[in-house]
Amino acid sequence: MPTSSASPVRPETLLEVRGFGVGYGGAPIVDDLDLTVGNGEIVAVIGPNGSGKSTLLKGLTGRAQVVHGSVLLAGADVTSHREDKLCRLGLGFVPQHKDVFPTLTVEDNLKMGGYLLARSKIGRRVDEVLEVFPALAPMRQRTAVRLSGGERKMLAIGRVLMLEPKLLLLDEPTAGLSPELARHLLHDQLPALVSRGVSILLVEQKALDALTVSDWGYVLVGGGVQISGPARDLLERPDIREVFLGSAARPAVPARANP
């Protein structure tokens, strides 16, 4: 059975995953998994390569086959819903790859992200998203292929923010970024999004850094939750550092304080 730290009171549940099993037609890769994300939380999902982290997100967003279990978003059953319907219900997903249209400009990428909005609202929403990522504002007419890795990831997140999601799912957002840009994304931009009312489920290979900015953490091993608990408690566990993460090094910044 998974072990967990003593559980503090968490905020009202936004996402609840119960007995989740996900695969690609054979045996489930993720099996019998329970997970919750509260309003205003950053929740990290960490674990070794091949543990099922990305498969979990694909199952939540209709990109992989749900074998059993349920997914509740704000109390509504959204199990196996298509991604466009999930967008309408307030769930946004930024995949690790193919996250922008490389030949389109920054502005046109954002407009594509607002495809469910009334045409009269799209321009205003583009301006609002560029307020979240002001570094992109001078690049409105630059094609995405000409952006740096960090700028491209901001654009990918901005595209999803066009529909004002309540919950943002991020799959390895620091992949391919320099250490400096990765720290900026995790330690500055994600908390800033939470301050704007977005909750975040974060799958991240930079596990220690992910935990430092998170409220709660889940460690996946072999497709199941092996350990869960407050992120700052997980950071203090030697088995997390040495076995699951392969490092005893301390993170560069203090853990995010729970409210």
Side-chain angles (χ1 to χ4, degrees):
M1 292 291 292
T3 60
S4 62
S5 303
S7 299
V9 176
R10 296 179 70 185
E12 181 181 4
T13 298
L14 176 59
L15 177 73
E16 184 174 5
V17 181
R18 302 171 176 167
F20 206 44
V22 182
Y24 300 99
I29 293 173
V30 170
D31 201 17
D32 198 25
L33 182 144
D34 295 334
L35 176 149
T36 60
V37 179
N39 280 310
E41 283 189 322
I42 300 177
V43 173
V45 178
I46 61 174
N49 289 332
S51 59
K53 303 185 299 296
S54 292
T55 299
L56 166 64
L57 295 190
K58 290 176 181 177
L60 294 177
T61 55
R63 298 186 176 201
Q65 179 183 351
V66 176
V67 180
H68 51 72
S70 61
V71 181
L72 304 178
L73 180 65
D77 192 333
V78 297
T79 311
S80 298
H81 279 16
R82 296 192 318 269
E83 200 165 342
D84 61 331
K85 186 171 183 180
L86 292 171
C87 288
R88 294 178 188 275
L89 294 173
L91 186 148
F93 175 45
V94 181
Q96 181 179 351
H97 304 293
K98 298 181 179 179
D99 51 0
V100 297
F101 297 101
T103 61
L104 296 184
T105 65
V106 166
E107 183 171 331
D108 286 343
N109 264 282
L110 294 176
K111 288 179 177 178
M112 289 290 286
Y115 71 105
L116 293 176
L117 300 175
R119 184 173 298 179
S120 61
K121 296 181 178 179
I122 291 178
R124 176 171 56 103
R125 187 61 188 150
V126 167
D127 291 339
E128 291 170 348
V129 169
L130 290 176
E131 289 178 4
V132 179
F133 297 114
L136 293 177
M139 307 176 190
R140 293 177 75 121
Q141 300 309 315
R142 186 176 299 181
T143 54
V145 73
R146 295 174 55 212
L147 301 178
S148 69
E151 292 161 353
R152 183 172 175 143
K153 187 54 65 174
M154 284 190 285
L155 178 58
I157 296 173
R159 264 192 356 107
V160 174
L161 292 181
M162 284 290 293
L163 296 179
E164 301 184 75
K166 295 177 285 189
L167 176 63
L168 186 61
L169 275 54
L170 298 175
D171 188 7
E172 304 281 4
T174 68
L177 299 186
S178 68
E180 181 180 356
L181 288 174
R183 283 193 297 271
H184 177 58
L185 175 65
L186 292 176
H187 297 292
D188 298 325
Q189 291 176 334
L190 297 194
L193 291 177
V194 171
S195 73
R196 291 175 176 264
V198 181
S199 303
I200 296 174
L201 180 61
L202 170 67
V203 164
E204 178 54 55
Q205 195 63 31
K206 292 180 172 60
L208 296 181
D209 282 324
L211 289 174
T212 65
V213 300
S214 297
D215 301 284
W216 198 268
Y218 292 89
V219 179
L220 263 60
V221 178
V225 174
Q226 184 73 18
I227 302 171
S228 67
R232 56 187 172 187
D233 289 356
L234 297 186
L235 279 167
E236 298 303 319
R237 291 185 57 140
D239 54 348
I240 294 290
R241 296 179 176 280
E242 297 168 12
V243 178
F244 297 111
L245 309 182
S247 172
R250 299 190 66 83
V253 299
R256 181 174 183 237
N258 291 319

